[in-house]
Amino acid sequence: MVSPAVFLLLLFFVIPVVLAFALAFTNARLVSPIPAQFTGLQNFRTLLDDPLFYKSLRNTFCFAAVVVPLQGGLALLLALLVNAKVKGVNFFRTVYFIPVVTSMVVVSILWTFMYQKTGLVNELISHLTLGLVHGPDWLNNPSTSMPAIILMSVWQGVGFHMIIWLAGLQTIPQDLYEAADIDGATRWVRFRYVTWPGLRTTRTFVLITITIAAFSLFAQVSVMTQGGPLDSTTTVVYQAVQTGYAQQQTGYASAISLVFFVLVLAVSLVQRFLTREKD
């Protein structure tokens, strides 16, 4: 008898992956009276000559390269602050976590209004600079559209990883800190030799989860920019969805997804290897 866990694994992981692998070698379309035909490596050859795929790949890796260290570092800093035994700390934990429980679609719509030419962000910039600086139309400018999405994404997700870091901090034995205090260790020394080693497992988890979330960037792009302007915010996942549903090229979209799956798997394995326990 198949257990529920095995059944769900087959239904939501194994079968979709096998179907995507099979469709990647066909000319299948989403809605077509003509049956799909086996085309061999044609979709992959088309992919190698597709400039949009390379641009999407570059956008995706740039997004991940900025978001992973920024979101992880900021979340750790917030976790260290809210882990202190001071009055009102529960209030700050709640405030930082509120964006996480808000839908990404809702957050994206709100930030779209804030990023408009006459939106809140530009009003703040104008007030802080006494009217000397006027912000751009953030989402309609190719040079500012991706940084705007990065800022919003970091703000929305930092609270979740703060909670993960906080859970890791509270597993570190307090007697280690007491021993460090007896030795006269400074705050930096305490962090360097007690806190950071104690977060080994936590930081591996945070690193991998942020990386996977960064590579799967889609909702923000779909709501805020639709991949524009001039494809400056198109990501691989967004391109695959557009190709599969809007253009109905299911076979080609499966080839994009399959190549991207292999790339993300390789990055995750490298991260796991670099952060493995060596002793």
Side-chain angles (χ1 to χ4, degrees):
M1 181 178 179
V2 180
S3 67
V6 174
F7 175 75
L8 293 175
L9 183 66
L10 290 172
L11 183 62
F12 293 108
F13 181 75
V14 176
I15 293 177
V17 169
V18 171
L19 284 176
F21 185 84
L23 289 173
F25 297 92
T26 69
N27 61 353
R29 298 185 65 83
L30 185 62
V31 179
S32 174
I34 303 174
Q37 295 179 338
F38 179 76
T39 58
L41 298 175
Q42 180 57 45
N43 286 329
F44 297 96
R45 284 194 288 267
T46 304
L47 190 63
L48 292 176
D49 297 329
D50 187 353
L52 181 58
F53 176 71
Y54 291 106
K55 195 164 189 178
S56 303
L57 203 60
R58 184 173 66 250
N59 290 338
T60 303
F61 275 90
C62 288
F63 179 84
V66 177
V67 166
V68 171
L70 185 60
Q71 192 173 85
L74 188 57
L76 176 58
L77 179 62
L78 290 176
L80 291 171
L81 292 175
V82 301
N83 193 43
K85 296 178 180 177
V86 296
K87 294 180 64 176
V89 68
N90 288 331
F91 170 77
F92 291 105
R93 291 179 182 179
T94 305
V95 168
Y96 295 141
F97 194 72
I98 283 178
V100 180
V101 299
T102 307
S103 166
M104 179 59 83
V105 174
V106 174
V107 171
S108 299
I109 293 173
L110 291 175
W111 278 73
T112 300
F113 289 115
M114 291 169 59
Y115 278 138
Q116 289 180 352
K117 185 70 175 176
T118 57
L120 179 61
V121 173
N122 283 345
E123 286 296 322
L124 285 175
I125 293 175
S126 180
H127 278 84
L128 291 175
T129 60
L130 302 177
L132 297 176
V133 177
H134 300 282
D137 191 356
W138 295 89
L139 297 178
N140 290 317
N141 187 328
S143 61
T144 58
S145 53
M146 182 55 82
I149 291 179
I150 289 174
L151 177 63
M152 188 276 289
S153 302
V154 170
W155 174 83
Q156 197 274 340
V158 72
F160 173 76
H161 296 100
M162 178 198 72
I163 295 298
I164 304 298
W165 282 121
L166 188 60
L169 287 173
Q170 295 179 351
T171 62
I172 301 175
Q174 286 300 312
D175 52 355
L176 295 178
Y177 289 109
E178 293 172 1
D181 290 337
I182 293 173
D183 292 337
T186 62
R187 288 187 178 183
W188 169 248
V189 172
R190 282 159 48 102
F191 177 81
R192 172 68 179 81
Y193 294 101
V194 179
T195 304
W196 189 245
L199 293 172
R200 178 191 296 274
T201 305
T202 306
R203 68 171 178 261
T204 300
F205 177 79
V206 169
L207 184 64
I208 292 176
T209 53
I210 294 180
T211 302
I212 293 175
F215 279 131
S216 61
L217 173 64
F218 172 75
Q220 301 94 308
V221 173
S222 180
V223 174
M224 300 175 76
T225 62
Q226 292 81 49
L230 301 176
D231 299 321
S232 60
T233 58
T234 299
T235 61
V236 177
V237 175
Y238 183 79
Q239 184 193 5
V241 173
Q242 285 294 104
T243 304
Y245 289 96
Q247 303 173 15
Q248 300 193 9
Q249 299 179 39
T250 311
Y252 187 48
S254 299
I256 296 174
S257 303
L258 191 60
V259 171
F260 189 58
F261 172 76
V262 173
L263 290 175
V264 173
L265 181 63
V267 171
S268 299
L269 290 176
V270 170
Q271 282 185 332
R272 187 69 187 89
F273 175 77
L274 294 177
T275 57
R276 71 191 188 284
E277 293 189 21
K278 298 179 181 178
D279 51 354

